[in-house]
Amino acid sequence: MSSGANHVSLLFTGSIRNALKMMLEDSHQPIFGEATRMQLPSIERADFLEYLDFQFEATGKPAEEQALNHLLNLTRSHPRSTQQLAWETWANTPDGQLVTLEAVIGAHDRLVQTIERSEFASVLNVLASGDEGEVNEVRALQLLADRGGDTITSRPLASLYGFSSHSRVRPALVRLQGRGLVDERDGSWYIVDPLFNEWLRRSSPLADRPLLSEPEES
């Protein structure tokens, strides 16, 4: 792989994510520096709506506008989750029938329930049985799912979710970002997969618990 080399073949084994991490993070690997980390812009909602409308119509199952809007609300226009939910909805709508709001809601419920048996649940179980840092990652995931990512430095929130200090929340989120589970955009943290986010929220005993007021600085 030296300068000027031609016809070099590389065989990657394992996950695509690990190969990308070698390119980005491990300076001891021969492919380090061969890739750049970028955050792609969000797909404009109007464009996504038009695309979905066309695809449903073209396959003989036209969709109600209300159904399409709700679909994108549920997935936050995340490309993979939108594809999953759109397919689940389409597959469970009879040929020639309208794709309805009820069909989208039902499809979403089925997909969220499958998280229990997915790789997300496996990762969560491994973290929950790990050291304090890994348990903090579970706490951070639950905090994001329940409360959103705009107030992660709140002392009452950190205390409610079991952190020994609010200063431990951000490092846990950074580690989760390295795992590809969370990300940050415009200063706000969020769980990347909205289906995983909804599964966490539904199973949380803390989602609706009120917070004590944060003490004022004296």
Side-chain angles (χ1 to χ4, degrees):
M1 294 185 67
S2 60
S3 177
N6 294 315
H7 307 295
V8 176
S9 297
L10 297 176
L11 174 64
F12 295 106
T13 60
S15 71
I16 296 174
R17 178 173 296 281
N18 285 336
L20 292 174
K21 288 185 71 172
M22 287 194 298
M23 294 180 180
L24 294 167
E25 300 174 4
D26 191 344
S27 60
H28 299 291
Q29 297 293 334
I31 54 177
F32 177 72
E34 297 299 319
T36 301
R37 186 187 300 274
M38 299 177 65
Q39 188 176 60
L40 295 177
S42 300
I43 300 174
E44 291 293 334
R45 184 183 178 90
D47 294 336
F48 222 155
L49 195 65
E50 182 180 357
Y51 172 79
L52 289 172
D53 186 35
F54 174 80
Q55 293 297 330
F56 278 111
E57 181 77 32
T59 53
K61 300 179 183 182
E64 297 175 347
E65 184 176 355
Q66 187 181 19
L68 294 179
N69 276 304
H70 189 62
L71 192 155
L72 289 178
N73 288 339
L74 292 171
T75 65
R76 302 195 309 263
S77 299
H78 180 270
R80 186 181 68 176
S81 294
T82 301
Q83 181 185 37
Q84 288 177 304
L85 183 52
W87 168 255
E88 181 72 17
T89 303
W90 184 91
N92 285 275
T93 299
D95 290 340
Q97 297 295 311
L98 276 175
V99 173
T100 64
L101 175 63
E102 290 73 20
V104 172
I105 293 172
H108 181 247
D109 285 340
R110 288 191 296 275
L111 286 177
V112 170
Q113 290 169 19
T114 64
I115 298 292
E116 186 69 43
R117 301 182 299 277
S118 74
E119 71 276 10
F120 290 120
S122 300
V123 170
L124 205 62
N125 289 334
V126 170
L127 292 176
S129 60
D131 58 25
E132 182 66 14
E134 290 171 324
V135 172
N136 276 346
E137 292 179 42
V138 177
R139 292 167 177 152
L141 281 170
Q142 199 66 69
L143 187 157
L144 284 188
D146 294 348
R147 312 285 175 162
D150 295 327
T151 56
I152 62 168
T153 58
S154 162
R155 287 180 174 84
L157 267 184
S159 176
L160 177 62
Y161 286 86
F163 288 94
S164 59
S165 168
H166 71 286
S167 64
R168 299 186 183 277
V169 179
R170 182 176 290 275
L173 291 173
V174 171
R175 292 193 299 273
L176 287 168
Q177 187 179 39
R179 299 181 190 276
L181 295 176
V182 309
D183 208 349
E184 183 182 17
R185 189 185 293 273
D186 299 327
S188 180
W189 289 88
Y190 61 95
I191 295 173
V192 172
D193 192 298
L195 298 175
F196 182 37
N197 184 98
E198 179 63 12
W199 177 70
L200 284 168
R201 190 192 64 79
R202 291 186 184 186
S203 61
S204 173
L206 300 174
D208 298 320
R209 182 175 297 184
L211 290 177
L212 297 175
S213 298
E214 189 164 356
E216 296 181 2
E217 297 291 339
S218 57

